[in-house]
Amino acid sequence: MNENREHSCDVLVIGSGAAGLSLALRLAPMCKVLVLSKGPRSEGATYYAQGGIAAVFDETDSVDSHVEDTQIAGAHLCDEEVVRFIAENARDCVQWLIDAGVPFDQEDNSTDDHPRYHLTREGGHSHRRILHAADATGMAMQMSLQDNVHNHPNIEVLERHNALDLITSHKIGEADAPNRVLGAYIWNRQRESVETVRAKFVVLATGGASKVYQYTSNPDVSSGDGIAMAWRAGCRVANLEFNQFHPTCLFHPEARNFLLTEALRGEGAYLRRPDGSRFMQEFDERAELAPRDVVARAIDYEMKRLGADCMYLDISHKPADFVTKHFPTIYEKLLGYGIDITKDAIPVVPAAHYTCGGVMVDRQGQTDLNGLYAIGEVSYTGLHGANRMASNSLLECVVYAWSAAEHISQHLNEVSLSSSIPLWDESKVSNSDEEVVIQHNWHELRLFMWDYVGIVRTTKRLERAMRRIQLLKQEIDEYYSNFRVSNNLLELRNLLQVAELMVRCALERKESRGLHYTLDYPDMLETLSPTILDPRNPQ
């Protein structure tokens, strides 16, 4: 086994979803790009995104309206300049996706010369502005981007490789100059060895951290790796108390994380109690089209009040051909579980879905560390505020991929590859004979995060969670020091770090706003500010 393999590239992109692949494609004409994928390259949150991507394409819609809707959904905690920047660049970036071959649904009267895209509406939007590919938009985007990446000679994709940690000039003893990212140590899961990547620039496109919760709509790779690595490298993070719980995840013993798109409610689906009665109008005048935090809390409240395992989502009152045309993927998938959505209500529960906070970046995706960028769900741009509006996430990915690529391309020739990166040293560690420790700690973390840092919180619950996190971190830090790395160990180490940051953010916010709802501070404050944590300032 060769444990000292080295790679070099101009730009290392950690993550192979919409953000990472879009950036790689934009940079590839001018430099060598290496893309790291933790699993198969399609196994990320993008692939499972059903709803669509928001952009102003309708002549009755406006950028101002998109900005206003985003602010309202984000409980006015969004950075308005950033929201406007993204909304103004949305159409051009979506057009870039169309030119890349993403097959968004078109109207019947659409022509090649004058394409007219079918726009749907989702919770929080005042207009129809969601472009989609049936109910599998993320899959269509992922596959189109992958095809383009596959055909580009300047892009290499390494599948089944974890980023282990960022390499910085200060970490390797170069303390005189400003700190800069030089590359990363990566874990080759096939060879079970640590390898080194030297790069001029590193881009974190690792997605969110919803795997920290027991119930999640996210794939297993969403373990907060980029947030934890950036924090360890000295970058600030913000707003990690705002974790979005998607209101409607399928409740079925054989389906762990199947999401039921918000577009179902956009097209008229009702939420019902087990007795068939509707309840959303009792919680919000927008009923089923209220923002996700409102809907998730309502479902959670009704489940607890009634002692019910789930609520029900019902679109069976719509014509069958309408349902099967608009939601073919969901229709087929649920038919496999014995649920015919043209006739039956669908059992649903909330599940952790999206990390609204993350690594702080500027308008170009730059973090606090020279040469390090963060784009997509791993980042905090200011777009989402206290709650992400539906279909703004894929949009943020492609707009910041464009913006970061523009900035990197302007500075490519100003940076040289480091020639003095030390190789990873495994001489003092042994193989673990206690993998059960990791499994036990993993389950404990996800369970208490769900119970104590979930949809409804209290200070006492948050403090309980923090005490347990500190104990688990001590165990895992000791474990990490003594044993060879493994996929589960790396992910658990990162999740524990992000869990701590989530709880710290939640304890600092003395109000209920958006996705952060605490019984101890039920009202909103008049002051509006993000929660910022800085690794250079001790707790």
Side-chain angles (χ1 to χ4, degrees):
M1 185 193 307
N2 177 8
E3 294 177 352
N4 296 331
R5 290 179 72 191
E6 274 197 292
H7 311 263
S8 63
C9 57
D10 294 305
V11 181
L12 170 63
V13 181
I14 304 174
S16 60
L21 295 186
S22 296
L23 177 129
L25 285 166
R26 287 187 179 274
L27 283 174
M30 59 204 80
C31 64
K32 183 181 175 187
V33 183
L34 181 64
V35 177
L36 220 61
S37 181
K38 196 156 63 167
R41 66 189 70 187
S42 62
E43 184 60 14
T46 296
Y47 184 84
Y48 296 98
Q50 295 171 354
I53 185 166
V56 174
F57 270 68
D58 182 9
E59 54 274 9
T60 67
D61 195 4
S62 68
V63 167
D64 285 345
S65 177
H66 191 176
V67 171
E68 184 182 3
D69 291 346
T70 300
Q71 279 282 20
I72 292 168
H76 298 283
L77 200 63
C78 312
D79 181 324
E80 183 152 356
E81 287 185 11
V82 169
V83 178
R84 186 165 294 279
F85 168 70
I86 291 173
E88 286 177 345
N89 288 288
R91 184 159 185 160
D92 285 347
C93 288
V94 171
Q95 186 60 51
W96 179 83
L97 288 172
I98 292 167
D99 295 341
V102 179
F104 293 115
D105 286 6
Q106 298 185 16
E107 298 280 12
D108 293 339
N109 62 351
S110 183
T111 64
D112 290 343
D113 294 335
H114 298 286
R116 292 178 61 85
Y117 293 95
H118 181 270
L119 304 172
T120 192
R121 185 180 166 198
E122 295 180 344
H125 291 272
S126 58
H127 291 77
R128 286 182 171 265
R129 67 167 70 97
I130 316 300
L131 287 87
H132 62 101
D135 57 349
T137 309
M139 186 189 301
M141 278 179 61
Q142 183 74 30
M143 291 307 170
S144 297
L145 292 170
Q146 279 182 198
D147 288 346
N148 285 291
V149 163
H150 181 71
N151 293 323
H152 207 293
N154 274 0
I155 303 175
E156 181 183 2
V157 181
L158 294 180
E159 294 185 303
R160 303 185 190 284
H161 284 70
N162 294 46
L164 197 153
D165 247 331
L166 298 169
I167 303 166
T168 68
S169 50
H170 285 188
K171 272 187 190 174
I172 65 169
E174 298 175 5
D176 299 337
N179 200 18
R180 182 177 183 85
V181 71
L182 306 174
Y185 291 117
I186 65 175
W187 169 247
N188 183 329
R189 287 162 67 172
Q190 289 128 312
R191 298 165 62 91
E192 296 195 344
S193 62
V194 178
E195 300 170 1
T196 307
V197 181
R198 293 183 300 136
K200 295 180 180 179
F201 299 91
V202 177
V203 181
L204 298 171
T206 51
S210 285
K211 200 177 171 185
V212 78
Y213 288 105
Q214 184 180 17
Y215 302 110
T216 175
S217 66
N218 283 196
D220 283 346
V221 293
S222 300
S223 53
D225 304 327
I227 298 169
M229 285 189 291
W231 176 262
R232 290 195 293 265
C235 297
R236 290 172 300 160
V237 299
N239 276 15
L240 283 167
E241 69 270 38
F242 298 117
N243 295 289
Q244 187 177 82
F245 292 83
H246 197 288
T248 53
C249 206
L250 176 63
F251 180 71
H252 192 281
E254 293 169 31
R256 239 172 6 109
N257 53 8
F258 188 68
L259 191 72
L260 294 155
T261 174
E262 194 157 319
L264 279 158
R265 283 175 285 132
E267 295 296 345
Y270 297 138
L271 279 163
R272 301 187 187 276
R273 299 181 180 98
D275 66 3
S277 60
R278 290 178 64 192
F279 58 89
M280 272 313 303
Q281 67 274 22
E282 298 168 23
F283 290 86
D284 194 285
E285 61 186 15
R286 292 163 290 187
E288 280 82 4
L289 287 177
R292 288 176 178 177
D293 60 322
V294 176
V295 181
R297 268 201 308 279
I299 294 172
D300 184 66
Y301 178 85
E302 287 296 311
M303 284 170 58
K304 286 172 177 167
R305 183 178 72 84
L306 297 170
D309 290 333
C310 62
M311 292 290 117
Y312 291 85
L313 185 65
D314 185 10
I315 199 168
S316 64
H317 52 279
K318 290 282 187 178
D321 58 349
F322 173 89
V323 174
T324 54
K325 179 187 175 186
H326 281 78
F327 306 105
T329 311
I330 292 171
Y331 174 75
E332 291 294 337
K333 179 86 171 181
L334 267 62
L335 216 51
Y337 295 124
I339 302 166
D340 181 347
I341 67 171
T342 65
K343 300 173 184 173
D344 307 323
I346 310 160
V348 294
V349 291
H353 180 60
Y354 192 86
T355 309
C356 288
V359 183
M360 289 191 75
V361 296
D362 66 11
R363 199 81 61 83
Q364 287 73 45
Q366 292 181 104
T367 70
D368 294 331
L369 178 62
N370 289 329
L372 180 69
Y373 295 72
I375 57 175
E377 192 176 350
V378 66
S379 68
Y380 165 76
T381 62
L383 172 64
H384 305 306
N387 184 17
R388 175 177 72 80
M389 189 166 70
S391 293
N392 270 352
S393 51
L394 290 175
L395 177 61
E396 184 184 47
C397 288
V398 294
V399 171
Y400 269 79
W402 157 73
S403 183
E406 289 282 300
H407 194 262
I408 291 169
S409 66
Q410 292 162 14
H411 298 278
L412 271 170
N413 297 326
E414 300 169 11
V415 182
S416 302
L417 285 174
S418 173
S419 57
S420 57
I421 295 176
L423 297 172
W424 186 261
D425 182 9
E426 283 195 326
S427 61
K428 298 181 178 66
V429 296
S430 60
N431 287 318
S432 166
D433 58 354
E434 290 289 333
E435 191 74 13
V436 67
V437 173
I438 294 177
Q439 292 302 324
H440 179 86
N441 289 357
W442 187 284
H443 292 308
E444 185 182 344
L445 169 68
R446 298 181 74 194
L447 186 60
F448 72 65
M449 285 295 288
W450 182 264
D451 288 341
Y452 299 154
V453 198
I455 295 171
V456 177
R457 302 161 179 181
T458 66
T459 301
K460 192 174 283 187
R461 288 179 202 168
L462 293 171
E463 288 170 347
R464 276 191 194 125
M466 184 61 88
R467 285 195 295 273
R468 282 161 174 75
I469 289 167
Q470 301 299 354
L471 286 170
L472 292 182
K473 274 189 79 180
Q474 287 173 14
E475 278 188 23
I476 292 305
D477 286 347
E478 181 184 341
Y479 199 99
Y480 186 79
S481 303
N482 292 311
F483 298 112
R484 287 199 172 90
V485 296
S486 68
N487 184 60
N488 285 345
L489 174 59
L490 292 176
E491 290 190 338
L492 179 58
R493 178 180 181 234
N494 290 335
L495 278 175
L496 280 165
Q497 180 60 75
V498 176
E500 179 187 41
L501 297 174
M502 286 176 176
V503 175
R504 278 182 60 186
C505 283
L507 284 166
E508 285 201 14
R509 186 165 291 279
K510 310 295 189 196
E511 65 168 347
S512 289
R513 184 181 296 274
L515 300 164
H516 175 68
Y517 187 81
T518 169
L519 297 176
D520 292 311
Y521 302 98
D523 300 320
M524 273 200 274
L525 296 174
E526 290 185 17
T527 52
L528 291 166
S529 60
T531 309
I532 298 172
L533 303 180
D534 190 334
R536 293 161 292 195
N537 297 338
Q539 192 175 346

